Amino acid sequence: MKNDNSLKSWLTDLNLDHPLVIGGPCSAETEDQVLKIAHELKNSDVSAFRAGIWKPRTRPGNFEGVGAIGLKWLKKVKEQTGLLTATEVANANHCKLALDADIDILWIGARSTVSPFIVQEIADALKGTDKIVLIKNPVNPDLDLWLGGIERLYKSEIKKLGVIHRGFSTSGKSQYRNNPEWQIAIELQNKFPDLPIICDPSHICGRRDLIFDISQRALDLNFDGLMVESHNDPDNAWSDAKQQITPETLIQFMKDWKIRELTTTEENYQNDLKNLRAKIDVIDQSLLDLLRDRMQVAEDIGELKKSKNVAVLQNKRWNEILGKMILDGQERKLSEEFILRIFKAIHQESINHQQNIYKN
Ligand code: PEP
Ligand code: MN
């Protein structure tokens, strides 16, 4: 897929002076519930109303959505409030029904993005549509799978495309339901700067007390919008109760979020930024020099071990180093996660250098 600056035009055409906000419940439950929430959101910065009517649930037996009848309720939302409407589609039949019901925004859920067959089926069913189609990241942290999904839709001549970052499953411990792994979303943004990117803090957080901060983080990273689950009675929602907030809270959040400028031409700012970036460049060069020196010492150790026929990897010492580095890192306000990542990478590079010596 080429970079294509027409990708952003559907968003520009909305003519907003703030990020795009999509609000509404995880699931449409009843006609009353849907209309009540929509009316509470209509006179705010919310532009589009979301509600899932076909719900992909991890385990069977949970509420799986009201089905096609919900499309009628969404139609009423559009007629009564003027909000755009949005729902998840997960197969060709959903697409057909949603297009017939004139839904404005169709999104592909994380559990569908993992399956190239399903994404292709949806891309074929939506071929050439002028509706907005958003694709969530796959459940697993795999940028290629996400890109593959975008490419399938783009090849199907769907031009009003965008992506939704909703975090990724992880087997490690995390305070989030789905770990944000911001670097994956940033990499996608760098590859396709014109593709609108929306953050879904609700499915990242899984709990309502973290939603404000994660949304602010996304705005700080220049995301184009947010999709936030909101419900008139969050605690009694039929799905995702813990992560939903009231329309009132969402409206307050929209007032409190700080919207950053992409840049400014103000002279002081430009000078300060230039100086600070110059400092970063100098520090980065020093880091590279230090890493080079460290590898040189690792090679000397490799020579020594080889001369005595000792194994490259010394697990006991490595575990001791790592434990100490985590503590030393804490004193320097560096997180355990960061220390582990960086020292594991450095250690691996040292082993590679030493193994080369053993080969020679
Ligand atoms: C949803 O948006 O309600 C949903 C099911 O999300 P996800 O596909 O991100 O799990
Ligand atoms: Mn949900």
Side-chain angles (χ1 to χ4, degrees):
M1 176 178 149
K2 294 193 311 293
N3 212 358
D4 178 343
N5 59 16
S6 69
L7 286 169
K8 213 151 211 144
S9 62
W10 66 265
L11 189 60
T12 321
D13 289 348
L14 291 177
N15 235 331
L16 304 173
D17 59 359
H18 53 77
L20 171 69
V21 181
I22 305 172
C26 177
S27 302
E29 298 166 4
T30 65
E31 182 173 333
D32 278 355
Q33 170 246 18
V34 164
L35 290 173
K36 191 169 193 307
I37 300 168
H39 278 281
E40 286 188 48
L41 293 173
K42 73 178 170 200
N43 291 323
S44 70
D45 281 352
V46 170
S47 307
F49 181 83
R50 65 151 282 155
I53 58 177
W54 297 288
K55 299 301 298 177
R57 305 312 299 272
T58 306
R59 310 277 297 265
N62 291 323
F63 172 60
E64 290 187 330
V66 293
I69 192 168
L71 295 169
K72 295 206 175 81
W73 308 341
L74 288 173
K75 251 185 154 169
K76 283 198 182 170
V77 166
K78 185 153 46 170
E79 282 159 15
Q80 294 183 16
T81 66
L83 289 166
L84 298 171
T85 50
T87 201
E88 173 173 350
V89 288
N91 61 37
N93 189 43
H94 296 166
C95 294
K96 181 180 178 322
L97 293 169
L99 291 178
D100 287 349
D102 204 24
I103 301 292
D104 305 289
I105 303 175
L106 312 176
W107 83 80
I108 299 175
R111 289 166 193 75
S112 301
T113 311
V114 290
S115 165
F117 286 131
I118 286 292
V119 176
Q120 191 58 52
E121 175 179 324
I122 294 172
D124 292 341
L126 296 177
K127 195 172 172 58
T129 185
D130 61 355
K131 300 295 182 193
I132 298 163
V133 180
L134 306 177
I135 181 161
K136 287 196 172 194
N137 62 259
V139 175
N140 52 323
D142 183 341
L143 177 61
D144 277 341
L145 204 47
W146 201 2
L147 293 173
I150 300 164
E151 281 158 4
R152 285 175 199 279
L153 296 168
Y154 189 77
K155 277 192 178 165
S156 240
E157 292 151 44
I158 302 167
K159 285 293 159 60
K160 297 185 183 172
L161 268 183
V163 295
I164 304 178
H165 169 230
R166 52 76 83 195
F168 301 87
S169 277
T170 165
S171 59
K173 74 173 173 55
S174 163
Q175 62 176 324
Y176 301 108
R177 177 176 175 194
N178 292 295
N179 221 25
E181 310 271 5
W182 295 107
Q183 74 288 356
I184 295 181
I186 291 167
E187 217 175 304
L188 184 124
Q189 257 177 325
N190 287 341
K191 277 200 158 75
F192 298 111
D194 295 312
L195 188 64
I197 180 164
I198 291 164
C199 179
D200 169 350
S202 308
H203 291 88
I204 290 178
C205 298
R207 41 187 265 210
R208 62 182 72 104
D209 61 320
L210 302 174
I211 288 179
F212 183 88
D213 286 348
I214 283 292
S215 306
Q216 184 64 63
R217 179 80 71 88
L219 294 173
D220 293 346
L221 291 170
N222 288 318
F223 275 58
D224 298 286
L226 297 164
M227 176 153 94
V228 186
E229 287 188 341
S230 34
H231 192 287
N232 54 314
D233 184 7
D235 285 333
N236 292 306
W238 298 1
S239 59
D240 287 350
K242 289 201 191 99
Q243 71 195 32
Q244 302 208 54
I245 56 173
T246 61
E248 200 189 345
T249 305
L250 176 56
I251 289 168
Q252 189 57 48
F253 281 5
M254 288 187 288
K255 291 188 181 130
D256 293 343
W257 285 322
K258 292 192 177 58
I259 313 300
R260 322 277 184 201
E261 299 293 331
L262 196 52
T263 185
T264 158
T265 47
E266 207 191 305
E267 204 177 323
N268 282 348
Y269 163 83
Q270 293 295 351
N271 278 339
D272 290 352
L273 189 65
K274 215 166 115 196
N275 290 337
L276 290 168
R277 283 188 172 152
K279 270 192 196 170
I280 290 268
D281 290 347
V282 171
I283 293 173
D284 283 349
Q285 290 303 317
S286 314
L287 283 173
L288 287 176
D289 287 346
L290 284 171
L291 287 169
R292 179 204 53 210
D293 294 350
R294 191 189 191 286
M295 293 309 149
Q296 182 57 56
V297 177
E299 284 173 17
D300 293 346
I301 293 176
E303 297 283 3
L304 187 63
K305 284 183 191 165
K306 187 181 175 191
S307 72
K308 301 290 172 207
N309 206 22
V310 172
V312 168
L313 182 60
Q314 304 285 318
N315 256 329
K316 186 164 168 287
R317 171 163 159 79
W318 167 233
N319 287 333
E320 281 166 10
I321 294 180
L322 211 50
K324 186 169 175 334
M325 284 306 177
I326 290 171
L327 292 176
D328 290 351
Q330 271 164 2
E331 281 174 17
R332 292 162 173 81
K333 295 202 169 73
L334 300 170
S335 74
E336 177 173 339
E337 192 206 344
F338 173 67
I339 294 290
L340 283 174
R341 254 196 227 209
I342 199 157
F343 276 96
K344 278 184 182 165
I346 291 174
H347 186 235
Q348 186 57 55
E349 183 70 9
S350 297
I351 289 177
N352 296 347
H353 279 244
Q354 293 191 349
Q355 269 169 345
N356 279 339
I357 287 170
Y358 273 62
K359 269 190 225 146
N360 300 329

